[in-house]
Amino acid sequence: MTAHAIAVDVGGTEMKAALVAVDHDTARPLRHLRRPTPRGSDGAATADHVVAAVTELVSDLRTGAAEAVDAVGVVVPGVVDEAHGVGVFSANLGWRDVPLRDQLAARIDLPLGFGHDVRAGGLAEVRFGAARGMRDVVVLPIGTGIAAAMVLDGRLYSGGGFAGEIGHVDIGHGEPCGCGSSGCVEAVASSAAVARRYQARTGKDGTAVEVAAAVRAGDPDAQAVWQDAVDALARGLLVLVTVAAPECIVLGGGFAQAGNLLTEPLRARLDGMLAAYHRRPHLKLAELGDTAGCLGAALLATEGLKTP
């Protein structure tokens, strides 16, 4: 039986929403909406602003839906306690200990699934995408921030909401991070960091995709920034491989749109770091693109899935 959910993926830069038809082995987006993530004058995306914006997206999609909507799923970044519905901390949105699920439920009169954006996207990639059929998987979207969804022995692992924050491993480069620490993988290897560091070197504005194009064109500044990002990612992945030993690492997010420009040097760099005792993972590109978070949110909504 097909269920219909409105799914909202709250990102550090943009909010993506979709009306999704979900059955046992497929999830099909029927309508899409995108809006900038609202921020106050201080640059922080307050919970009140985000809750209001999510409510508006749900209302707009519900109003235009020919199908009856069965549930709503909302996923957010940062440290998320799914069991209690709390946004514990988000470096990119600027909130702490916010009871987001309760605040959303007070405004939305439908069953509500709530969770972490990366874990939800990882769930979708394992169910429908690049990691279909695998039991030990890390799904790593690289966008405004970097965090990993970890599937261990076939089960999504959340560690009480704290697992997978590989973007905030200190790899020793010393640059400040939005989390308040320095040396984090994310401060060099996220899409936002690549664009920011390229601008600092050249004075040119651009996205990570545009930096990738400059790398292909032979721009030495772009190549230096790119190499730093690849090295930082490899060092972060080394930690995951050593601790979790995944059979596959799925790379997603905007940065992964670079394809082989990312995977080939990253594979070589990581392989050079691994010892004989490490399990060597396959590196794959995500198949679901930037719809993964919404598809995962739809799964949380329609199946009532909870991470262990």
Side-chain angles (χ1 to χ4, degrees), residues 4-7 68-73 110-113 298 300-302:
H4 294 88
I6 292 173
V69 177
D70 299 296
V72 172
L110 286 168
L112 179 68
L300 294 179
T302 57

Side-chain angles (χ1 to χ4, degrees), residues 2-3 9 20 29 48-49 60 73 76 101-102 104 124 139 142 152 155 157 162-163 167 186 195 215 238 290:
T2 300
D9 178 6
V20 183
D48 288 344
H49 288 154
D60 289 350
V76 299
R101 184 175 60 198
D102 288 348
L104 288 163
V139 181
I142 307 167
L152 305 178
R155 301 185 69 191
Y157 178 74
F162 291 89
E186 186 173 298
V215 172
L238 178 62
D290 66 358

Side-chain angles (χ1 to χ4, degrees), residues 140 166-167 169 171 185 230-242 270 273:
L140 190 75
I166 194 65
V169 169
I171 56 171
V185 172
V230 167
D231 183 71
L233 282 173
R235 291 176 184 277
L237 291 181
L238 178 62
V239 174
L240 283 174
V241 170
T242 303
L270 179 60
M273 292 178 171

Side-chain angles (χ1 to χ4, degrees), residues 17 33 43 54 58 75 98 103 106 110 142 165 171-172 177 184-185 214-215 219 239 250-251 260 271 286 302-303:
L33 288 175
V54 169
V58 170
V75 296
V98 179
Q103 292 182 10
L110 286 168
I142 307 167
E165 289 295 326
I171 56 171
C177 180
C184 296
V185 172
V215 172
D219 181 332
V239 174
V250 178
L251 303 172
N260 288 341
D271 191 62
T302 57
E303 298 183 13

Side-chain angles (χ1 to χ4, degrees), residues 118 121-143 146-151 166 233 237 240-241 246-257 262-263 266-267 270 281-289 292:
V118 173
L123 183 65
E125 284 288 350
V126 170
R127 184 72 63 85
F128 307 125
R132 188 185 292 110
M134 297 186 186
R135 296 191 63 80
D136 297 311
V137 179
V138 168
V139 181
L140 190 75
I142 307 167
I146 300 175
M150 302 171 64
V151 175
I166 194 65
L233 282 173
L237 291 181
L240 283 174
V241 170
E247 61 187 304
C248 181
I249 296 172
V250 178
L251 303 172
F255 201 36
Q257 293 177 23
L262 172 62
T263 56
L266 180 58
R267 184 179 290 110
L270 179 60
H282 300 288
L283 281 184
K284 300 182 71 173
L285 293 174
E287 293 181 2
L288 302 179

Side-chain angles (χ1 to χ4, degrees), residues 35-196:
R35 289 177 190 163
T37 301
R39 293 182 179 272
S41 58
D42 61 354
T46 69
D48 288 344
H49 288 154
V50 170
V51 167
V54 169
T55 304
E56 183 178 337
L57 282 167
V58 170
S59 177
D60 289 350
L61 282 169
R62 194 176 183 185
T63 298
E67 305 82 359
V69 177
D70 299 296
V72 172
V74 180
V75 296
V76 299
V79 177
V80 179
D81 179 350
E82 288 101 334
H84 297 96
V86 174
V88 177
F89 172 72
S90 173
N92 292 312
L93 293 176
W95 62 40
R96 286 182 181 271
D97 298 320
V98 179
L100 289 166
R101 184 175 60 198
D102 288 348
Q103 292 182 10
L104 288 163
R107 296 194 180 204
I108 297 171
D109 61 341
L110 286 168
L112 179 68
F114 175 79
H116 184 251
D117 58 347
V118 173
R119 285 192 284 275
L123 183 65
E125 284 288 350
V126 170
R127 184 72 63 85
F128 307 125
R132 188 185 292 110
M134 297 186 186
R135 296 191 63 80
D136 297 311
V137 179
V138 168
V139 181
L140 190 75
I142 307 167
T144 306
I146 300 175
M150 302 171 64
V151 175
L152 305 178
D153 196 24
R155 301 185 69 191
L156 193 62
Y157 178 74
S158 68
F162 291 89
E165 289 295 326
I166 194 65
H168 297 293
V169 169
D170 183 352
I171 56 171
H173 56 68
E175 292 201 23
C177 180
C179 71
S181 297
S182 62
C184 296
V185 172
E186 186 173 298
V188 170
S190 69
S191 296
V194 166
R196 183 184 67 250

